[in-house]
Amino acid sequence: MNNNGMIEYKESIISKIKNFFKKIFGKKDVNDYYMQNESIKELKQEKNNFQNKFIDNIKVEQNVTNDIFKRNKFLKEIDGNKDALNMLSIDRLRKLEKYYDSVIAENEKKIKKLKASA
């Protein structure tokens, strides 16, 4: 005999029929219905708030991405084209110089990290 577990309660046929009719014809409490509706409204509102926050977090500024694409296109046009470089204004040349200085600085940092880890 191995009776270490919980005793399983089996509902009788009479109590099953009684519960069935209570569910169908029983008096429903108005407060329970109100509480359920309020909790459902709160859940819907929380879901909408979460979706709005998610959408706001995903948004990327279009100007930033456009600038990156324009810069990459510009760099491809200049690459190996001496005539295009000669036609650039001084302001554009200074911006180009700043960009390449920042690229060089980033690469030097990466090299230092790699040398330190090796």
Side-chain angles (χ1 to χ4, degrees):
M1 290 184 107
N2 208 356
N3 254 349
N4 294 338
M6 299 277 296
I7 298 173
E8 186 177 330
Y9 173 72
K10 293 184 179 180
E11 196 174 20
S12 68
I13 294 175
I14 295 172
S15 60
K16 287 182 183 179
I17 294 171
K18 190 177 179 183
N19 288 335
F20 175 74
F21 283 111
K22 276 186 181 179
K23 287 180 184 176
I24 293 176
F25 300 111
K27 187 176 181 183
K28 295 182 180 176
D29 193 9
V30 177
N31 291 334
D32 291 340
Y33 180 73
Y34 178 74
M35 293 295 284
Q36 288 176 352
N37 282 340
E38 286 298 316
S39 62
I40 290 172
K41 288 178 184 176
E42 289 174 6
L43 289 174
K44 286 181 180 178
Q45 187 177 13
E46 287 178 15
K47 181 182 175 185
N48 288 337
N49 288 340
F50 178 75
Q51 287 176 345
N52 290 338
K53 287 179 184 177
F54 180 73
I55 290 172
D56 289 340
N57 290 338
I58 287 182
K59 287 183 182 176
V60 178
E61 292 185 27
Q62 190 174 7
N63 296 338
V64 174
T65 56
N66 285 342
D67 291 341
I68 293 171
F69 287 123
K70 287 179 183 177
R71 182 183 66 211
N72 289 340
K73 182 180 175 185
F74 175 71
L75 292 175
K76 285 180 184 177
E77 288 176 5
I78 290 179
D79 190 30
N81 192 353
K82 293 180 182 179
D83 294 333
L85 280 173
N86 289 333
M87 292 174 46
L88 290 177
S89 67
I90 295 173
D91 292 334
R92 287 288 276 217
L93 289 173
R94 286 186 181 148
K95 287 181 183 179
L96 192 62
E97 181 183 20
K98 286 180 184 179
Y99 170 73
Y100 279 114
D101 287 341
S102 65
V103 169
I104 291 170
E106 288 178 18
N107 288 339
E108 286 177 354
K109 288 179 186 177
K110 289 178 186 178
I111 290 170
K112 287 179 183 178
K113 285 182 183 178
L114 289 173
K115 284 183 179 179
S117 66

